[in-house]
Every structure is written in structure tokens, then in C-alpha cells.
Amino acid sequence: MAWPNIFQRGTLLSRFSHHHVVVFLLTFFSYSLLHASRKTFSNVKVSISKQWTPSAFNKSIELLPVEIWSSNHLFPSAEEATLFLGTLDTIFLFSYAVGLFVSGIVGDRLNLRWVLSFGMCSSALVVFVFGTLTEWLHLYNKGLYCGLWIVNGLLQSTGWPCVVAVMGNWFGKAGRGVVFGLWSACASVGNILGACLASSVLQYGYEYAFLVTAAVQFAGGIVIFFGLLVSPEEIGIPGIETEENFEEDSHRPLINGAENEDEAEPNYSIQEGNTVTQVKAISFFQACCLPGVIAYSLAYACLKLVNYSFFFWLPFYLSNNFGWKEAEADQLSIWYDVGGIIGGTLQGFISDMLQRRAPVLALSLLLAIGSLVGYSRSPNDKSINALLMAVTGFFIGGPSNMISSAISADLGRQELIQGSSEALATVTGIVDGTGSIGAAVGQYLVSLIQDNLGWMWVFYFFILMTSCTILFISPLIVRETCSLMQRRQTRVLNE
């Protein structure tokens, strides 16, 4: 049996230098810090809701209860406060989605290190003002909160297109599924980091949770500015396309519209000799017309809706539905991210072996429907809940990580580009931006469904969206499955 190139000519690790390791770690932790600040908001929703309603008890100032209620309550009930928190999630994701489309285009035209560092530092300042400064100064204003969260969404959107583009510059198609599968755990690690930081200081007030994550994120942005190399050419190392010109046919992109399995991969090197050529950035419309971009973008809109609903609402659900303490719910929600880390890595490895992504996604998403049914009926037992949560994260978070990282990199470096254009950040922005639009709509719908119908109907909604994800990529699933069967038949005949 002919194994994929990740098992040929030595191990995958033998191809990497210490520069690859540094780039992997810097991009990994930069996006982890961005996600940690987002996770902080979801982890302190219960505390914020209490602070914004008349039942809040503020120990930081000595006022009569009536004076406290009149000075800091925004809503007459916790239900209305919860609905506004859902609105903030929606506002953030809409601005984040718009920013992704723009950031992808900007990232292909400006230095990725500058854009990423600026986004991290500026977002940290906004988070500090939103969660810490407003509480210290007792500034409780819905318009101010909305405005700050819109700006934060725009600034945070610089992160994902930039880090995926940098990773795509350093890591080629060989083993991309497992490398990006492991690397895409950065979001889940950020969620875990944010949950741990928030729960460790939440006893002192939710404002300190925002303070800690903002400070760490700002420091990370400074490190990125001085330490990140955006491409091998910056230090005279041949680019990945140059190396791949000498690789075998099985190294071609996994996202490929060609029907002929033996079709040779064209040369799209961005480097000739020792001279680095100036690549031309692809237009937004051209990027949308690349094969697979629209299908995966629409699929990701449905899948990210489900994944981000767990991200934004899981701690609140555990506390609200089971009556568990907020800090305990924060820590328990980590298991969803643990499942996503394992799922993304393992499914990426399998897709590298098969040299196809869609069939792996299809099987995982079908099992995700069953896991959602099981988790919706989880008993009031933390151990069982954590186990079911991890399984759900494996089958939902894993495919989400694959689409947003490895598949986006495949789409942005497919053969139609042929070296005349640079599209990686733009394509990543389109896929993740479309996904964020779906997630934005979903967060508002989740709050409405929960308020009117209950949590069980929220899970029915998740099952519907997961089914739609499979539907949108069904043509790709059929094509790639048939291709796998034909390849297997050919090998059997040759043997």
C-alpha cells in the first residue's frame, strides 16, 4: 500500500527547523490569547447579569441598596440582562465577521506581523475598558457596551486570517491535516486558559478577570511584533512551494477540482533562485470563485453557529440548568475544548492518510448529531456530563477546527492560483467570516429559543444546523468518496 508522503522520505518532523517550531508556538499562543479574552466574557456572564440587575450587591462602594440599584442596574430582571448578553454576543460576531472579510484582504497586502500585533494590543485595551474600567468608574451604559464590543470584534478579526496565512507560509501540504489539526487546538487552549484565569480571580470581581486576560494579551502582542517571522523567505529559507516542486504527485492539494488522479501539480513557486518575487494579492471575487470556497463557507456558517454556541453559552447553561456554581461550571466547560483538541488532531491525521477531507468531516458530523442528542439528556452528574461534553466537543469542535485551519489553507493554495496571486489570508477571511455571520445570528436565536421554549429546543436547533453543514458539503463528500473508491479499485487491480 502506498502511504501518504507524511510517511515517506523520513518523518514529517525531519523537515522542520527550529524556525518552524517558533512560528508554530508564536501563532498558536497569539490566537490562544485572543480566544482567552473572548472566553472570559462567556465565563463571567452570570456575575455580569447579577451586577446589571437590582439583585446585585456591590461591595466596592458603601451605598444603600436602593442607591446601588439606581446607580448600576441596567435591567429590571435577570432574563432581560441575559437577552442583552446574547445581543452583545451577536454584535461582537457580526462585527467580527465584517472584520474578517476586511482583515483577510488587508493581510494579503500588508505585513502580517504588523496587522496581528496591532489587533492583539488594541483589542486588549478595548477589553480592559469594557470589563474593568467601566466597573471601576461605575459606568453602566448599554450604548457604551455595544460600541466597545463592536470595536473589539473588528480588532479581534485580525487574528485568524493572519495566523493561518503565516502557518500556510511555513508548513506545506505534506502532513498539513495533522499539523494544522494540532495547531488549531489554539482556540480550545485559549478557551481553557480563559476559563482558568477567569475562575481563579472571579471571587474578587468579574472586572479582574477582564484585567488579567487583557494584560496577558497585550504582552503577547508585543512579543509577536518583535519575534514573529511571517515567511521563510524573510531569513533566506526556500519557501514551501519551492520545496514542493520536487515532491511526488501525491503531494498535490487535498482541495482539487481535477478529476484525474495522476494529474501533475503545476508550479506555483513564489521564489526564483535567491530572488523573492512580489506576489499579487487575489481579489475578493476571485477568491470566492475558487473551487470549494462557497461550499465550505456556507457549511462553516452552520457549524460555527453550533460550536460558538457552546463556546458562549456552555458555562451559563451548566449554571442555569443544573444550578452549579459559576466557577465550577467554568472549569467543567473545559472538557468540551479537550474533546475538540483531540478531535481536530485525530481527524486531521486521518484526512492526511486518506488525502481527502470531506469524507472524514461527514462521518464526524453524523456522529455529532448522536452526541448532541445524548448530551441534551445528560443527568445532573458532573462526571457523566463532562464525558458527554468531551464526546460532543470531539465530533463538533474537531470538524470546526479542520474547516477553519487545514481546509482553509488547502483552499488558499490550490492549483488555480499558480503563483500569480496570494490568496491564503483572503480565503481564510471569507470562510471564517461567513462562519461568524452564521454564529452571530445563532447567538441571538439561542437566547430567544431558550427564553421561550427552553434548553431542549436549543439542542434541536443545534441538530438542525449540524445536518445543514452536511448538506452544504454533500457534493464534495460524494465526489471525494467516489474518488477514494476509484483509487482503491485501481490499487487492487495493480496488485
Side-chain angles (χ1 to χ4, degrees):
M1 178 178 181
W3 290 98
N5 284 18
I6 56 174
F7 300 109
Q8 297 173 352
R9 284 179 300 279
T11 64
L12 183 62
L13 293 177
S14 65
R15 300 166 57 91
F16 298 157
S17 67
H18 71 280
H19 296 294
H20 290 82
V21 176
V22 171
V23 169
F24 184 100
L25 293 176
L26 284 178
T27 53
F28 185 97
F29 285 106
S30 64
Y31 196 72
S32 294
L33 295 177
L34 288 169
H35 241 264
S37 67
R38 299 183 212 172
K39 185 63 174 176
T40 299
F41 177 67
S42 65
N43 284 339
V44 300
K45 278 182 175 178
V46 174
S47 296
I48 294 177
S49 178
K50 291 179 180 179
Q51 184 71 6
W52 287 352
T53 55
S55 60
F57 182 73
N58 192 337
K59 298 181 180 180
S60 61
I61 52 176
E62 295 183 357
L63 294 173
L64 293 174
V66 175
E67 293 174 313
I68 294 175
W69 296 348
S70 62
S71 65
N72 67 4
H73 88 271
L74 294 174
F75 306 97
S77 65
E79 288 75 16
E80 292 191 25
T82 301
L83 187 60
F84 181 70
L85 291 172
T87 303
L88 285 178
D89 288 337
T90 304
I91 289 173
F92 173 85
L93 285 173
F94 267 121
S95 62
Y96 182 73
V98 173
L100 281 169
F101 291 116
V102 177
S103 296
I105 297 173
V106 171
D108 279 334
R109 289 161 174 79
L110 298 180
N111 189 296
L112 293 167
R113 176 170 54 89
W114 297 349
V115 178
L116 178 58
S117 179
F118 170 78
M120 291 182 67
C121 293
S122 301
S123 172
L125 293 175
V126 173
V127 169
F128 168 75
V129 174
F130 175 91
T132 305
L133 193 61
T134 54
E135 179 62 29
W136 284 351
L137 299 179
H138 306 298
L139 295 176
Y140 305 102
N141 184 278
K142 289 184 285 188
L144 176 63
Y145 287 131
C146 290
L148 288 172
W149 230 223
I150 289 173
V151 175
N152 187 41
L154 293 173
L155 293 173
Q156 287 245 345
S157 68
T158 60
W160 191 247
C162 290
V163 293
V164 172
V166 172
M167 284 289 292
N169 290 339
W170 281 90
F171 295 89
K173 293 181 290 297
R176 178 175 284 163
V178 65
V179 171
F180 274 73
L182 181 61
W183 174 83
S184 63
C186 58
S188 298
V189 170
N191 295 342
I192 295 172
L193 177 62
C196 292
L197 290 176
S199 60
S200 64
V201 298
L202 193 57
Q203 56 182 320
Y204 305 108
Y206 73 82
E207 64 270 25
Y208 292 98
F210 285 105
L211 175 63
V212 171
T213 53
V216 175
Q217 180 181 313
F218 188 89
I222 299 299
V223 172
I224 289 297
F225 182 81
F226 289 103
L228 181 64
L229 296 171
V230 300
S231 68
E233 289 88 346
E234 287 191 353
I235 53 176
I237 300 177
I240 59 172
E241 289 90 349
T242 302
E243 297 178 357
E244 287 167 355
N245 288 332
F246 302 100
E247 298 294 335
E248 295 176 347
D249 177 60
S250 58
H251 243 171
R252 69 188 180 283
L254 288 162
I255 304 297
N256 193 340
E259 297 295 331
N260 187 359
E261 287 291 324
D262 298 321
E263 185 176 354
E265 179 184 352
N267 180 346
Y268 50 90
S269 173
I270 63 173
Q271 182 171 332
E272 296 181 21
N274 294 324
T275 303
V276 178
T277 58
Q278 182 65 39
V279 294
K280 178 184 177 182
I282 196 171
S283 70
F284 181 85
F285 179 75
Q286 289 173 321
C288 289
C289 292
L290 291 173
V293 170
I294 296 299
Y296 274 113
S297 296
L298 294 175
Y300 194 48
C302 300
L303 185 59
K304 191 170 184 177
L305 183 155
V306 180
N307 193 43
Y308 261 54
S309 295
F310 275 92
F311 168 72
F312 280 118
W313 290 101
L314 186 53
F316 184 86
Y317 165 74
L318 295 174
S319 180
N320 179 267
N321 193 58
F322 297 108
W324 298 337
K325 294 181 180 179
E326 188 176 17
E328 294 176 342
D330 292 344
Q331 294 174 355
L332 195 66
S333 66
I334 290 173
W335 288 103
Y336 179 83
D337 297 299
V338 172
I341 293 173
I342 300 173
T345 305
L346 182 58
Q347 292 167 35
F349 176 76
I350 295 173
S351 70
D352 277 342
M353 292 182 62
L354 297 176
Q355 299 186 22
R356 294 294 183 271
R357 311 284 191 211
V360 180
L361 287 177
L363 179 59
S364 180
L365 291 171
L366 285 173
L367 295 173
I369 295 175
S371 67
L372 284 169
V373 173
Y375 187 69
S376 66
R377 289 163 172 78
S378 173
N380 193 349
D381 182 278
K382 294 178 182 178
S383 299
I384 297 177
N385 192 285
L387 176 61
L388 294 174
M389 189 189 303
V391 173
T392 304
F394 183 95
F395 292 121
I396 292 179
S400 180
N401 290 344
M402 276 187 61
I403 294 177
S404 63
S405 58
I407 290 176
S408 293
D410 291 340
L411 293 170
R413 288 198 178 277
Q414 55 188 297
E415 62 183 29
L416 292 181
I417 300 171
Q418 296 185 4
S420 62
S421 304
E422 183 62 42
L424 189 48
T426 302
V427 168
T428 303
I430 292 171
V431 174
D432 203 23
T434 307
S436 296
I437 291 176
V441 174
Q443 301 324 297
Y444 190 72
L445 291 177
V446 166
S447 61
L448 285 178
I449 294 172
Q450 188 276 327
D451 188 50
N452 292 283
L453 299 174
W455 285 110
M456 185 57 68
W457 281 93
V458 172
F459 284 100
Y460 293 153
F461 178 57
F462 291 164
I463 292 171
L464 175 62
M465 290 297 100
T466 304
S467 302
C468 289
T469 303
I470 301 174
L471 179 64
F472 281 124
I473 62 172
S474 56
L476 298 173
I477 296 171
V478 172
R479 187 180 70 188
E480 294 187 15
T481 302
C482 292
S483 176
L484 280 173
M485 296 175 64
Q486 291 174 0
R487 187 174 67 182
R488 183 176 180 181
Q489 292 174 357
T490 301
R491 287 174 178 170
V492 171
L493 292 175
N494 291 337
E495 293 175 355

